[in-house]
Amino acid sequence: MIPVNEPLLDGNEKRYLAECIETGWISSEGPFVERFEHGMAARMGRRHAVAVCNGSMALDAAVAALGIGPGDEVILPSFTIVSCAAAVVRAGATPVVVDSDPLTWNMRPDEVAARVTARTRAIMVVHIYGLPCEMAPLLEVAGRHGLAIIEDAAEMHGQTWRGRPCGSFGAISTFSFYPNKHVTTGEGGMLLTDDDALAERLRRLRNLAFAPPRRFVHEELGWNLRMSNLQAALGCAQLERLDEFVRRKRAMGARYDARLRGTPGLQLPLPRTDDAENIYWVYGLVLDDDVPFDADEAMRRLARRGVGCRPFFWPMHEQPVFRRMGLFAGERLPAAERLARRGFYVPSGLALGEAQIDAVAEAVRATLAEA
Ligand SMILES: *Cc1c(COP(=O)(O)O)cnc(C)c1O
């Protein structure tokens, strides 16, 4: 079986982890945490970085730090991971979802502009699967209405929009370091901001809202979102290789493209837009409507051929948990609904070899030939 993801950990990971154990620094107090924060901030051109336990809780902390709560609306794509809408709902605010572009799979700026109301406080910009969102119209709408931007750059380490790093846009940017991301710490996340007060607030929220003058006396509630020195040690080793990882992902995408181009019934990822070259967080495929089976069936057939796949996201407006809360009633977003049913991704991890890519592509072509 070719696994859907296998990370690459053959740089300084072992050396830095051994250093943690030899020095005894394993908690969040250890020196790798700040080193990793400084490295990410420098790389993305931000003043501050706050390392946390995962990318999902980074979004919760971002929403909380901006003071978004009951009565407020946050606009976000429906086609994304549940973490995005969950952060808004847990804050007591209302998520407002928009549809996606059928080719880039990213949120549509025209729909964002159309959904702004007097209650809108923020736009959660989520870059999907390897290409950045169209930032120019999103920044324009946010500027015109005085909305904060929360940039979810969890899939975008090393990507740029018109040469400017993803992770540098808006009030707060967030990252994840789950093992299928371009930089991994096993579990981990980070928030980046240029705002001194926001950074301070994020650090407080991360650490149970401990604050002077008396530890254990609390004016507000935070969480324990701290990243350990062990995780940050991995992060430092991984970040050293980010450029190499991005090159590797692009080469993988190009190899898949070359072997799958022209396969009847198959839509491939866009290799580039006017603003960016794809970094292929995952290599996604979308079945044409005339293919007589859906993504679930395609993945079953590929599993029988020894290829591990994963489905695309399921839209927020079709989530049972949110529908039961009375959210998104009557919402229809055809592009997001179609991507969920026709889209899946093939093995895309950094440890994937060329022979494996060729075998996966061959299995995909054979599966489509059965249609
Ligand atoms: C992976 C991911 C997250 C969540 O990150 P975790 O570290 O797994 O909690 C959030 N947003 C997007 C877009 C992601 O891809």
PDB file of all heavy atoms in Angstrom, residues 54-57 59 80-81 83-84 126-128 152 154-155 176-178 180-181 187-188 281 313, ligand 1:
ATOM      1  N   ASN A  54      -1.716  23.223  18.103  1.00  0.00           N
ATOM      2  CA  ASN A  54      -2.140  22.763  16.772  1.00  0.00           C
ATOM      3  C   ASN A  54      -2.763  23.911  15.981  1.00  0.00           C
ATOM      4  O   ASN A  54      -3.024  24.992  16.528  1.00  0.00           O
ATOM      5  CB  ASN A  54      -3.110  21.567  16.867  1.00  0.00           C
ATOM      6  CG  ASN A  54      -4.350  21.883  17.662  1.00  0.00           C
ATOM      7  OD1 ASN A  54      -5.101  22.777  17.312  1.00  0.00           O
ATOM      8  ND2 ASN A  54      -4.550  21.161  18.750  1.00  0.00           N
ATOM      9  N   GLY A  55      -3.013  23.664  14.711  1.00  0.00           N
ATOM     10  CA  GLY A  55      -3.543  24.704  13.840  1.00  0.00           C
ATOM     11  C   GLY A  55      -5.002  25.019  14.107  1.00  0.00           C
ATOM     12  O   GLY A  55      -5.456  26.142  13.841  1.00  0.00           O
ATOM     13  N   SER A  56      -5.744  24.048  14.624  1.00  0.00           N
ATOM     14  CA  SER A  56      -7.156  24.290  14.932  1.00  0.00           C
ATOM     15  C   SER A  56      -7.286  25.263  16.094  1.00  0.00           C
ATOM     16  O   SER A  56      -8.039  26.242  16.028  1.00  0.00           O
ATOM     17  CB  SER A  56      -7.857  22.971  15.284  1.00  0.00           C
ATOM     18  OG  SER A  56      -7.782  22.079  14.202  1.00  0.00           O
ATOM     19  N   MET A  57      -6.524  25.013  17.167  1.00  0.00           N
ATOM     20  CA  MET A  57      -6.612  25.907  18.326  1.00  0.00           C
ATOM     21  C   MET A  57      -6.000  27.275  18.018  1.00  0.00           C
ATOM     22  O   MET A  57      -6.372  28.267  18.648  1.00  0.00           O
ATOM     23  CB  MET A  57      -5.945  25.266  19.541  1.00  0.00           C
ATOM     24  CG  MET A  57      -6.712  24.075  20.118  1.00  0.00           C
ATOM     25  SD  MET A  57      -8.503  24.373  20.306  1.00  0.00           S
ATOM     26  CE  MET A  57      -8.516  25.622  21.583  1.00  0.00           C
ATOM     27  N   LEU A  59      -6.696  28.872  15.393  1.00  0.00           N
ATOM     28  CA  LEU A  59      -7.859  29.614  14.881  1.00  0.00           C
ATOM     29  C   LEU A  59      -8.762  30.073  16.028  1.00  0.00           C
ATOM     30  O   LEU A  59      -9.246  31.207  16.032  1.00  0.00           O
ATOM     31  CB  LEU A  59      -8.644  28.746  13.887  1.00  0.00           C
ATOM     32  CG  LEU A  59      -7.919  28.493  12.557  1.00  0.00           C
ATOM     33  CD1 LEU A  59      -8.593  27.376  11.776  1.00  0.00           C
ATOM     34  CD2 LEU A  59      -7.864  29.773  11.722  1.00  0.00           C
ATOM     35  N   THR A  80     -13.751  23.911   3.439  1.00  0.00           N
ATOM     36  CA  THR A  80     -12.554  23.976   4.265  1.00  0.00           C
ATOM     37  C   THR A  80     -12.680  22.942   5.364  1.00  0.00           C
ATOM     38  O   THR A  80     -13.665  22.193   5.425  1.00  0.00           O
ATOM     39  CB  THR A  80     -12.350  25.396   4.853  1.00  0.00           C
ATOM     40  OG1 THR A  80     -11.124  25.436   5.597  1.00  0.00           O
ATOM     41  CG2 THR A  80     -13.488  25.791   5.784  1.00  0.00           C
ATOM     42  N   ILE A  81     -11.699  22.897   6.256  1.00  0.00           N
ATOM     43  CA  ILE A  81     -11.736  21.979   7.403  1.00  0.00           C
ATOM     44  C   ILE A  81     -12.672  22.552   8.465  1.00  0.00           C
ATOM     45  O   ILE A  81     -12.837  23.771   8.559  1.00  0.00           O
ATOM     46  CB  ILE A  81     -10.302  21.774   7.949  1.00  0.00           C
ATOM     47  CG1 ILE A  81     -10.244  20.646   8.975  1.00  0.00           C
ATOM     48  CG2 ILE A  81      -9.765  23.060   8.553  1.00  0.00           C
ATOM     49  CD1 ILE A  81      -8.814  20.183   9.278  1.00  0.00           C
ATOM     50  N   SER A  83     -12.360  23.049  11.510  1.00  0.00           N
ATOM     51  CA  SER A  83     -11.716  23.928  12.496  1.00  0.00           C
ATOM     52  C   SER A  83     -12.063  25.401  12.290  1.00  0.00           C
ATOM     53  O   SER A  83     -12.205  26.148  13.267  1.00  0.00           O
ATOM     54  CB  SER A  83     -10.199  23.772  12.416  1.00  0.00           C
ATOM     55  OG  SER A  83      -9.833  22.414  12.319  1.00  0.00           O
ATOM     56  N   CYS A  84     -12.178  25.820  11.035  1.00  0.00           N
ATOM     57  CA  CYS A  84     -12.402  27.240  10.718  1.00  0.00           C
ATOM     58  C   CYS A  84     -13.750  27.706  11.256  1.00  0.00           C
ATOM     59  O   CYS A  84     -13.843  28.702  11.979  1.00  0.00           O
ATOM     60  CB  CYS A  84     -12.322  27.465   9.203  1.00  0.00           C
ATOM     61  SG  CYS A  84     -10.753  26.957   8.484  1.00  0.00           S
ATOM     62  N   VAL A 126      -8.914  31.314   3.812  1.00  0.00           N
ATOM     63  CA  VAL A 126      -8.304  29.982   3.918  1.00  0.00           C
ATOM     64  C   VAL A 126      -7.755  29.590   2.548  1.00  0.00           C
ATOM     65  O   VAL A 126      -8.512  29.454   1.593  1.00  0.00           O
ATOM     66  CB  VAL A 126      -9.332  28.926   4.370  1.00  0.00           C
ATOM     67  CG1 VAL A 126      -8.618  27.615   4.720  1.00  0.00           C
ATOM     68  CG2 VAL A 126     -10.177  29.420   5.534  1.00  0.00           C
ATOM     69  N   HIS A 127      -6.452  29.448   2.439  1.00  0.00           N
ATOM     70  CA  HIS A 127      -5.846  29.011   1.174  1.00  0.00           C
ATOM     71  C   HIS A 127      -5.951  27.489   1.089  1.00  0.00           C
ATOM     72  O   HIS A 127      -5.484  26.786   1.983  1.00  0.00           O
ATOM     73  CB  HIS A 127      -4.376  29.409   1.106  1.00  0.00           C
ATOM     74  CG  HIS A 127      -4.093  30.840   1.469  1.00  0.00           C
ATOM     75  ND1 HIS A 127      -4.490  31.902   0.690  1.00  0.00           N
ATOM     76  CD2 HIS A 127      -3.426  31.377   2.520  1.00  0.00           C
ATOM     77  CE1 HIS A 127      -4.064  33.027   1.250  1.00  0.00           C
ATOM     78  NE2 HIS A 127      -3.430  32.733   2.359  1.00  0.00           N
ATOM     79  N   ILE A 128      -6.508  27.001  -0.010  1.00  0.00           N
ATOM     80  CA  ILE A 128      -6.837  25.577  -0.094  1.00  0.00           C
ATOM     81  C   ILE A 128      -5.881  24.803  -1.009  1.00  0.00           C
ATOM     82  O   ILE A 128      -5.736  25.131  -2.191  1.00  0.00           O
ATOM     83  CB  ILE A 128      -8.287  25.399  -0.609  1.00  0.00           C
ATOM     84  CG1 ILE A 128      -9.288  26.091   0.325  1.00  0.00           C
ATOM     85  CG2 ILE A 128      -8.622  23.916  -0.800  1.00  0.00           C
ATOM     86  CD1 ILE A 128      -9.496  25.449   1.679  1.00  0.00           C
ATOM     87  N   ASP A 152      -5.821  31.817   7.356  1.00  0.00           N
ATOM     88  CA  ASP A 152      -5.487  30.429   7.697  1.00  0.00           C
ATOM     89  C   ASP A 152      -4.518  29.918   6.632  1.00  0.00           C
ATOM     90  O   ASP A 152      -4.907  29.531   5.531  1.00  0.00           O
ATOM     91  CB  ASP A 152      -6.743  29.566   7.753  1.00  0.00           C
ATOM     92  CG  ASP A 152      -6.441  28.122   8.149  1.00  0.00           C
ATOM     93  OD1 ASP A 152      -5.244  27.756   8.195  1.00  0.00           O
ATOM     94  OD2 ASP A 152      -7.388  27.357   8.401  1.00  0.00           O
ATOM     95  N   ALA A 154      -2.517  27.301   6.971  1.00  0.00           N
ATOM     96  CA  ALA A 154      -2.115  25.964   7.438  1.00  0.00           C
ATOM     97  C   ALA A 154      -1.523  25.093   6.332  1.00  0.00           C
ATOM     98  O   ALA A 154      -0.765  24.175   6.606  1.00  0.00           O
ATOM     99  CB  ALA A 154      -3.311  25.253   8.069  1.00  0.00           C
ATOM    100  N   GLU A 155      -1.908  25.380   5.077  1.00  0.00           N
ATOM    101  CA  GLU A 155      -1.442  24.547   3.959  1.00  0.00           C
ATOM    102  C   GLU A 155      -0.436  25.300   3.090  1.00  0.00           C
ATOM    103  O   GLU A 155      -0.184  24.913   1.951  1.00  0.00           O
ATOM    104  CB  GLU A 155      -2.669  24.129   3.120  1.00  0.00           C
ATOM    105  CG  GLU A 155      -3.724  23.434   3.962  1.00  0.00           C
ATOM    106  CD  GLU A 155      -5.039  23.159   3.232  1.00  0.00           C
ATOM    107  OE1 GLU A 155      -5.148  23.491   2.037  1.00  0.00           O
ATOM    108  OE2 GLU A 155      -5.951  22.609   3.873  1.00  0.00           O
ATOM    109  N   SER A 176      -0.507  25.332  10.715  1.00  0.00           N
ATOM    110  CA  SER A 176      -0.544  24.026  11.362  1.00  0.00           C
ATOM    111  C   SER A 176       0.759  23.315  11.019  1.00  0.00           C
ATOM    112  O   SER A 176       1.336  23.534   9.957  1.00  0.00           O
ATOM    113  CB  SER A 176      -1.729  23.213  10.833  1.00  0.00           C
ATOM    114  OG  SER A 176      -1.549  21.830  11.123  1.00  0.00           O
ATOM    115  N   PHE A 177       1.201  22.444  11.931  1.00  0.00           N
ATOM    116  CA  PHE A 177       2.397  21.629  11.673  1.00  0.00           C
ATOM    117  C   PHE A 177       2.083  20.149  11.807  1.00  0.00           C
ATOM    118  O   PHE A 177       2.905  19.352  12.264  1.00  0.00           O
ATOM    119  CB  PHE A 177       3.530  22.040  12.631  1.00  0.00           C
ATOM    120  CG  PHE A 177       3.845  23.511  12.600  1.00  0.00           C
ATOM    121  CD1 PHE A 177       3.584  24.316  13.706  1.00  0.00           C
ATOM    122  CD2 PHE A 177       4.376  24.104  11.458  1.00  0.00           C
ATOM    123  CE1 PHE A 177       3.863  25.678  13.684  1.00  0.00           C
ATOM    124  CE2 PHE A 177       4.648  25.470  11.427  1.00  0.00           C
ATOM    125  CZ  PHE A 177       4.392  26.256  12.538  1.00  0.00           C
ATOM    126  N   TYR A 178       0.860  19.782  11.431  1.00  0.00           N
ATOM    127  CA  TYR A 178       0.467  18.370  11.373  1.00  0.00           C
ATOM    128  C   TYR A 178       1.397  17.663  10.373  1.00  0.00           C
ATOM    129  O   TYR A 178       1.944  18.303   9.471  1.00  0.00           O
ATOM    130  CB  TYR A 178      -1.012  18.284  10.946  1.00  0.00           C
ATOM    131  CG  TYR A 178      -1.581  16.903  11.116  1.00  0.00           C
ATOM    132  CD1 TYR A 178      -1.800  16.385  12.386  1.00  0.00           C
ATOM    133  CD2 TYR A 178      -1.866  16.100  10.010  1.00  0.00           C
ATOM    134  CE1 TYR A 178      -2.281  15.096  12.555  1.00  0.00           C
ATOM    135  CE2 TYR A 178      -2.356  14.817  10.164  1.00  0.00           C
ATOM    136  CZ  TYR A 178      -2.553  14.318  11.446  1.00  0.00           C
ATOM    137  OH  TYR A 178      -3.017  13.048  11.604  1.00  0.00           O
ATOM    138  N   ASN A 180       1.166  16.111   7.686  1.00  0.00           N
ATOM    139  CA  ASN A 180       1.001  16.241   6.233  1.00  0.00           C
ATOM    140  C   ASN A 180       1.237  17.671   5.743  1.00  0.00           C
ATOM    141  O   ASN A 180       1.074  17.950   4.558  1.00  0.00           O
ATOM    142  CB  ASN A 180      -0.374  15.722   5.785  1.00  0.00           C
ATOM    143  CG  ASN A 180      -1.527  16.486   6.401  1.00  0.00           C
ATOM    144  OD1 ASN A 180      -1.315  17.443   7.140  1.00  0.00           O
ATOM    145  ND2 ASN A 180      -2.736  16.071   6.102  1.00  0.00           N
ATOM    146  N   LYS A 181       1.648  18.578   6.625  1.00  0.00           N
ATOM    147  CA  LYS A 181       1.932  19.954   6.181  1.00  0.00           C
ATOM    148  C   LYS A 181       3.393  20.057   5.728  1.00  0.00           C
ATOM    149  O   LYS A 181       4.200  19.175   6.016  1.00  0.00           O
ATOM    150  CB  LYS A 181       1.644  20.945   7.308  1.00  0.00           C
ATOM    151  CG  LYS A 181       0.337  20.706   8.053  1.00  0.00           C
ATOM    152  CD  LYS A 181      -0.921  21.014   7.238  1.00  0.00           C
ATOM    153  CE  LYS A 181      -2.141  20.625   8.054  1.00  0.00           C
ATOM    154  NZ  LYS A 181      -3.408  21.121   7.589  1.00  0.00           N
ATOM    155  N   GLU A 187       2.324  17.326  16.104  1.00  0.00           N
ATOM    156  CA  GLU A 187       1.168  18.180  16.317  1.00  0.00           C
ATOM    157  C   GLU A 187       1.726  19.557  16.605  1.00  0.00           C
ATOM    158  O   GLU A 187       2.728  19.675  17.303  1.00  0.00           O
ATOM    159  CB  GLU A 187       0.318  17.724  17.510  1.00  0.00           C
ATOM    160  CG  GLU A 187      -0.244  16.311  17.408  1.00  0.00           C
ATOM    161  CD  GLU A 187      -1.419  16.190  16.441  1.00  0.00           C
ATOM    162  OE1 GLU A 187      -1.926  17.232  15.968  1.00  0.00           O
ATOM    163  OE2 GLU A 187      -1.813  15.047  16.148  1.00  0.00           O
ATOM    164  N   GLY A 188       1.082  20.598  16.111  1.00  0.00           N
ATOM    165  CA  GLY A 188       1.577  21.934  16.412  1.00  0.00           C
ATOM    166  C   GLY A 188       0.903  22.979  15.568  1.00  0.00           C
ATOM    167  O   GLY A 188       0.264  22.668  14.551  1.00  0.00           O
ATOM    168  N   TRP A 281       0.046  21.281  -1.551  1.00  0.00           N
ATOM    169  CA  TRP A 281      -0.067  20.702  -0.203  1.00  0.00           C
ATOM    170  C   TRP A 281      -0.546  19.266  -0.366  1.00  0.00           C
ATOM    171  O   TRP A 281       0.015  18.349   0.217  1.00  0.00           O
ATOM    172  CB  TRP A 281      -1.040  21.503   0.675  1.00  0.00           C
ATOM    173  CG  TRP A 281      -1.251  20.798   1.963  1.00  0.00           C
ATOM    174  CD1 TRP A 281      -0.267  20.418   2.839  1.00  0.00           C
ATOM    175  CD2 TRP A 281      -2.475  20.326   2.506  1.00  0.00           C
ATOM    176  NE1 TRP A 281      -0.825  19.738   3.911  1.00  0.00           N
ATOM    177  CE2 TRP A 281      -2.175  19.673   3.723  1.00  0.00           C
ATOM    178  CE3 TRP A 281      -3.812  20.401   2.094  1.00  0.00           C
ATOM    179  CZ2 TRP A 281      -3.149  19.092   4.519  1.00  0.00           C
ATOM    180  CZ3 TRP A 281      -4.780  19.830   2.897  1.00  0.00           C
ATOM    181  CH2 TRP A 281      -4.445  19.177   4.092  1.00  0.00           C
ATOM    182  N   PHE A 313     -12.503  17.999   1.445  1.00  0.00           N
ATOM    183  CA  PHE A 313     -13.318  18.509   2.559  1.00  0.00           C
ATOM    184  C   PHE A 313     -14.804  18.321   2.263  1.00  0.00           C
ATOM    185  O   PHE A 313     -15.210  18.234   1.098  1.00  0.00           O
ATOM    186  CB  PHE A 313     -13.070  20.009   2.763  1.00  0.00           C
ATOM    187  CG  PHE A 313     -11.668  20.336   3.210  1.00  0.00           C
ATOM    188  CD1 PHE A 313     -10.937  21.331   2.568  1.00  0.00           C
ATOM    189  CD2 PHE A 313     -11.083  19.678   4.284  1.00  0.00           C
ATOM    190  CE1 PHE A 313      -9.655  21.660   2.978  1.00  0.00           C
ATOM    191  CE2 PHE A 313      -9.797  19.999   4.707  1.00  0.00           C
ATOM    192  CZ  PHE A 313      -9.090  20.987   4.048  1.00  0.00           C
TER     193      PHE A 313
HETATM  194  C1  LIG B   1      -4.577  21.192   8.752  1.00  0.00           C
HETATM  195  C2  LIG B   1      -5.444  22.390   8.736  1.00  0.00           C
HETATM  196  C3  LIG B   1      -5.937  22.980   9.911  1.00  0.00           C
HETATM  197  C4  LIG B   1      -5.862  22.321  11.258  1.00  0.00           C
HETATM  198  O1  LIG B   1      -4.637  22.094  11.742  1.00  0.00           O
HETATM  199  P1  LIG B   1      -4.390  21.008  12.903  1.00  0.00           P
HETATM  200  O2  LIG B   1      -2.981  21.285  13.295  1.00  0.00           O
HETATM  201  O3  LIG B   1      -4.582  19.657  12.302  1.00  0.00           O
HETATM  202  O4  LIG B   1      -5.355  21.282  13.998  1.00  0.00           O
HETATM  203  C5  LIG B   1      -6.642  24.167   9.821  1.00  0.00           C
HETATM  204  N1  LIG B   1      -6.885  24.727   8.627  1.00  0.00           N
HETATM  205  C6  LIG B   1      -6.481  24.167   7.475  1.00  0.00           C
HETATM  206  C7  LIG B   1      -6.800  24.858   6.196  1.00  0.00           C
HETATM  207  C8  LIG B   1      -5.761  22.976   7.489  1.00  0.00           C
HETATM  208  O5  LIG B   1      -5.377  22.412   6.340  1.00  0.00           O
END
